[in-house]
Amino acid sequence: MCGIVGVVGNINATDILLQGLQKLEYRGYDSAGIFVAGQRGDHFLLKSVGRISSLQEKIDGQVSGFSGIGHTRWATHGKPGENNAHPHVSKNSRLVLVHNGVIENFKQLREEYLVEEEFIGDTDTEIVAHLIGKFVEDGNFSVEEAMRKVLLLIEGSFAFALMDTLDSETIFVAKRKSPLLIGLGDGCNMVCSDAMAMIRETQTFMEINDDEMVIVRKDDVQILNSEGKKIEREPYIAKLDLSDIGKGTYPYYMLKEIEEQPAVIRRIVQEYVSEQNNHQLNVDSDILQAVHQADQVYIVAAGTSFHAGFASKSFFEKLTGKPVELCLASEFGYNTPILSKNPLFIYISQSGETADSRQVLVKMKELGYKALTITNVPGSTLSREADYTLLLHAGPEIAVASTKAYTAQIAVMAVLAKAVGDAQNNPVAKQFDLAKELSLVAMAMVSILEAKETISQKTGELLKTTRNAFYIGRAADYYVAMEAALKLKEISYIQCEGFAAGELKHGTIALIEEKTPVLVLMSDKGIASLTRGNMMEVMSRGAQVLTIVTQECAEKGDDIVIPNVHPYLTCLSMVLPTQLIAYYATLQRGLDVDKPRNLAKSVTVE
């Protein structure tokens, strides 16, 4: 969601802030702003609604300085507008603040401390800026002391970067729940929500833990705990490459990431399958033991990651012998069901920063339950706070609509399930040659990508002007249908739903009208005839149908026929045409594929 950048001690501060904000565009935003401190004591505060390019036009090369902070805002309190855009200032404009998160008690703080003050906008952040300023001006506190006092009063989540116009060589930083990093440079230091924002400037970063405060200067970084005591922490090297972050020759990140999926599957095989040890899987024995000891596995996730959990449930149970329950993160933490005696929680998250999943992790850890995080980002919050981590090795995913992370999540879940089954001498797992089958999946993906022009044409014929659409399928195809519908709706704005094909007669078929698009998924020969029966039911009511089928299920007249893969892994291949359909439907409507309205890549607030 919101993105924060900051730099102190570099004469190119404006450029560093802007390029950092551009690198954070993938997180989703509706407005942006920067504060820059000049070398002659002058200060610049600029904001704009819309894309960062609008902010750049305002700057127009006239803003320069050696330190500053910047922000991209995804609206939570107050509509998108310059009055609500960050940075925000204190009452006398001395202090400048950017914030990611949600202050849950901002109304109480305003009523208790700031009832007579006037505010420009409607945000919770402006309340915090005024409150810190009030303690500095009225209470004779230093900025550090005032900020620490306010941190103790705040309820909710936050990542703060604060500057004092009377001391422009310092950035005061603090976090709780929301992600924030310190970048260590040569003669300068930085602040960022994601290492990607500052990877051009440095590869050396330092983590910040919850309720810590950090004082950042050009040649010094002090980490303080909640009691003000200094903490020593070793930095780490971010394994990112600028070439991975760029689009290359692709018009959109989403298409690039769709086409990277065969390589991602091969990379997962390379990372987890040992060539020297008879194809044994490289999964930590502690993880295998944790799954073995569990009497039930709970997969906690949201959005696309939740769908990846569904796609993994069946083969995970067959290969491990462990029952699996899927849990929506946003619901589970506040409506927890009766748990088994010895559960294991698996948290699936592309970013590793999903706030809904983190609140579940924290609560379950307090109860003493083990946690495994499956994520694309080493060192992310969910990775650091879990007992164990398995990485996706998918490379940076920039487009808001997740594609390669989804398939990587399923593939890594298959790696885990196979490794556990092998360790338990499960005969089903022993007979499943995962390395071979994933290699065949990668080959199938290449074949599907070669047919993308045909998919584009069929997408235009079916979806170019429609308002509504449906995906239907049974078993694993139903799980793909849910993800396919999400992809289509989130970037093309077509109101699309994914349904179990057998459930149509229980209500949904009432929505079928003349020329209603219905996309039918069939990958299981044993139940394909049932799905075709459901397809005939919607066709007889006027639906316009497009079929996506595997070769073993294909009949004359099917639209998109893809190679067969192992039944455990059909979701990996079946989802690829639906990703391309979402991409082309969006493109054909003239919409921004990578940056859909109202959405954010990394959901860092509950």
Side-chain angles (χ1 to χ4, degrees):
M1 290 189 160
C2 304
I4 290 173
V5 292
V7 61
V8 58
N10 192 305
I11 60 172
N12 297 313
T14 303
D15 177 62
I16 291 172
L17 294 174
L18 286 174
Q19 70 83 26
L21 292 178
Q22 288 171 335
K23 292 292 191 297
L24 295 177
E25 283 189 295
Y26 75 95
R27 296 170 73 91
Y29 68 104
D30 50 61
S31 57
I34 62 170
F35 168 79
V36 177
Q39 291 179 301
R40 296 185 296 273
D42 47 348
H43 303 109
F44 306 90
L45 178 62
L46 297 102
K47 307 178 186 183
S48 69
V49 177
R51 298 299 181 203
I52 290 169
S53 56
S54 300
L55 180 62
Q56 287 175 308
E57 290 174 3
K58 283 191 171 184
I59 293 169
D60 194 27
Q62 302 301 310
V63 177
S64 64
F66 65 92
S67 64
I69 51 178
H71 188 270
T72 52
R73 176 180 185 257
W74 189 86
T76 57
H77 297 74
K79 295 180 179 180
E82 289 190 16
N83 63 322
N84 288 319
H86 299 216
H88 286 287
V89 298
S90 58
K91 182 179 178 180
N92 63 0
S93 299
R94 174 181 166 181
L95 303 179
V96 187
L97 179 71
V98 293
H99 165 224
N100 178 15
V102 173
I103 308 303
E104 296 172 2
N105 62 333
F106 77 98
K107 288 184 178 179
Q108 294 93 319
L109 293 174
R110 179 174 181 171
E111 291 169 0
E112 184 171 351
Y113 295 99
L114 305 168
V115 67
E116 295 182 358
E117 294 198 12
E118 295 183 2
F119 297 88
I120 296 173
D122 307 304
T123 70
D124 51 349
T125 307
E126 192 177 5
I127 303 294
V128 177
H130 276 239
L131 188 54
I132 298 173
K134 179 180 178 63
F135 289 149
V136 170
E137 297 301 320
D138 298 349
N140 295 317
F141 289 101
S142 68
V143 174
E144 178 186 341
E145 291 168 339
M147 186 172 184
R148 189 181 305 284
K149 181 177 175 66
V150 171
L151 295 179
L152 295 173
L153 297 174
I154 287 174
E155 297 173 8
S157 61
F158 57 79
F160 290 131
L162 175 75
M163 290 191 69
D164 179 1
T165 57
L166 301 183
D167 176 18
S168 298
E169 297 184 0
T170 304
I171 302 177
F172 300 90
V173 174
K175 74 171 285 290
R176 182 189 298 158
K177 297 183 181 180
S178 297
L180 204 59
L181 296 170
I182 304 299
L184 306 178
D186 183 10
C188 69
N189 288 310
M190 290 144 279
V191 180
C192 52
S193 298
D194 188 319
M196 214 181 298
M198 291 298 171
I199 199 66
R200 190 190 73 173
E201 312 303 324
T202 183
Q203 289 187 303
T204 307
F205 293 88
M206 191 177 291
E207 296 172 349
I208 311 172
N209 293 331
D210 280 359
D211 295 312
E212 290 178 344
M213 185 172 175
V214 186
I215 300 173
V216 183
R217 299 185 178 93
K218 67 177 182 179
D219 52 5
D220 179 52
V221 173
Q222 292 185 36
I223 303 176
L224 308 173
N225 65 14
S226 58
E227 298 174 349
K229 295 181 180 179
K230 191 172 181 179
I231 298 171
E232 298 295 332
R233 181 166 299 141
E234 289 296 316
Y236 71 93
I237 304 299
K239 297 178 181 179
L240 284 174
D241 191 305
L242 274 174
S243 61
D244 292 334
I245 300 172
K247 284 189 294 221
T249 59
Y250 288 91
Y252 290 96
Y253 281 109
M254 184 178 180
L255 183 60
K256 175 177 180 278
E257 290 156 9
I258 289 172
E259 296 203 4
E260 285 175 342
Q261 287 175 107
V264 170
I265 297 299
R266 294 187 184 108
R267 190 181 308 132
I268 289 170
V269 173
Q270 292 169 356
E271 292 288 342
Y272 285 107
V273 179
S274 173
E275 291 292 337
Q276 288 77 32
N277 197 7
N278 196 28
H279 283 192
Q280 185 174 337
L281 296 174
N282 300 320
V283 178
D284 191 297
S285 60
D286 289 342
I287 298 177
L288 302 182
Q289 187 68 11
V291 180
H292 176 69
Q293 292 177 346
D295 59 2
Q296 180 149 349
V297 172
Y298 294 84
I299 296 176
V300 179
T304 286
S305 298
F306 184 64
H307 296 157
F310 264 116
S312 306
K313 172 180 164 66
S314 178
F315 69 66
F316 198 93
E317 291 180 332
K318 290 173 182 174
L319 295 173
T320 68
K322 302 291 181 180
V324 175
E325 183 172 339
L326 267 293
C327 311
L328 268 175
S330 59
E331 290 292 321
F332 188 88
Y334 302 102
N335 190 23
T336 306
I338 296 175
L339 300 175
S340 65
K341 290 184 178 179
N342 190 29
L344 172 70
F345 285 84
I346 298 179
Y347 300 87
I348 305 179
S349 169
Q350 187 282 136
S351 68
E353 300 293 349
T354 309
D356 290 318
S357 293
R358 184 179 185 265
Q359 56 92 7
V360 178
L361 186 150
V362 170
K363 291 176 180 177
M364 295 304 105
K365 290 284 286 182
E366 288 174 351
L367 295 174
Y369 299 136
K370 295 289 186 180
L372 164 64
T373 290
I374 296 178
T375 183
N376 203 28
V377 184
S380 58
T381 301
L382 288 175
S383 175
R384 292 197 311 270
E385 297 184 354
D387 299 286
Y388 321 105
T389 295
L390 288 175
L391 294 176
L392 299 180
H393 298 290
E397 188 177 66
I398 309 298
V400 167
S402 180
T403 51
K404 64 178 181 175
Y406 170 82
T407 48
Q409 288 165 346
I410 297 170
V412 171
M413 283 292 291
V415 168
L416 175 61
K418 163 72 173 168
V420 171
D422 284 349
Q424 297 176 158
N425 289 314
N426 183 326
V428 178
K430 291 288 187 182
Q431 294 169 13
F432 179 43
D433 189 343
L434 178 62
K436 173 188 172 184
E437 298 300 342
L438 284 177
S439 297
L440 293 174
V441 167
M443 293 172 60
M445 287 177 163
V446 171
S447 175
I448 295 166
L449 291 169
E450 290 173 349
K452 64 183 181 182
E453 294 304 321
T454 299
I455 295 174
S456 173
Q457 177 187 343
K458 291 184 178 294
T459 300
E461 294 169 355
L462 184 70
L463 299 174
K464 191 170 184 179
T465 60
T466 189
R467 179 69 181 85
N468 307 292
F470 297 94
Y471 273 97
I472 62 171
R474 288 173 178 260
D477 295 329
Y478 167 46
Y479 304 142
V480 174
M482 291 192 293
E483 171 61 13
L486 176 62
K487 280 294 147 292
L488 187 58
K489 77 177 75 169
E490 69 182 343
I491 61 172
S492 75
Y493 316 141
I494 295 171
Q495 187 173 344
C496 185
E497 303 299 332
F499 287 101
E503 289 297 298
L504 285 170
K505 293 187 291 293
H506 296 279
T508 305
I509 202 167
L511 298 174
I512 301 300
E513 300 174 336
E514 192 70 26
K515 294 188 176 180
T516 298
V518 178
L519 297 93
V520 185
L521 308 177
M522 290 175 279
S523 66
D524 185 339
K525 191 174 182 179
I527 54 176
S529 60
L530 293 172
T531 305
R532 288 194 184 275
N534 302 132
M535 180 181 77
M536 296 304 297
E537 291 166 358
V538 297
M539 289 176 66
S540 67
R541 288 159 176 81
Q544 190 174 353
V545 166
L546 183 146
T547 55
I548 303 172
V549 303
T550 55
Q551 290 170 341
E552 68 176 8
C553 295
E555 294 184 2
K556 184 178 180 181
D558 283 327
D559 297 287
I560 300 171
V561 180
I562 69 172
N564 297 325
V565 300
H566 194 283
Y568 291 169
L569 305 176
T570 55
C571 291
L572 293 174
S573 56
M574 288 292 285
V575 79
L576 196 55
T578 72
Q579 294 171 347
L580 288 167
I581 286 169
Y583 173 81
Y584 287 119
T586 306
L587 206 61
Q588 290 159 4
R589 289 172 174 240
L591 301 170
D592 191 329
V593 173
D594 288 337
K595 301 167 190 167
R597 69 190 181 202
N598 302 336
L599 294 180
K601 180 68 176 175
S602 182
V603 183
T604 56
V605 297
E606 293 183 39

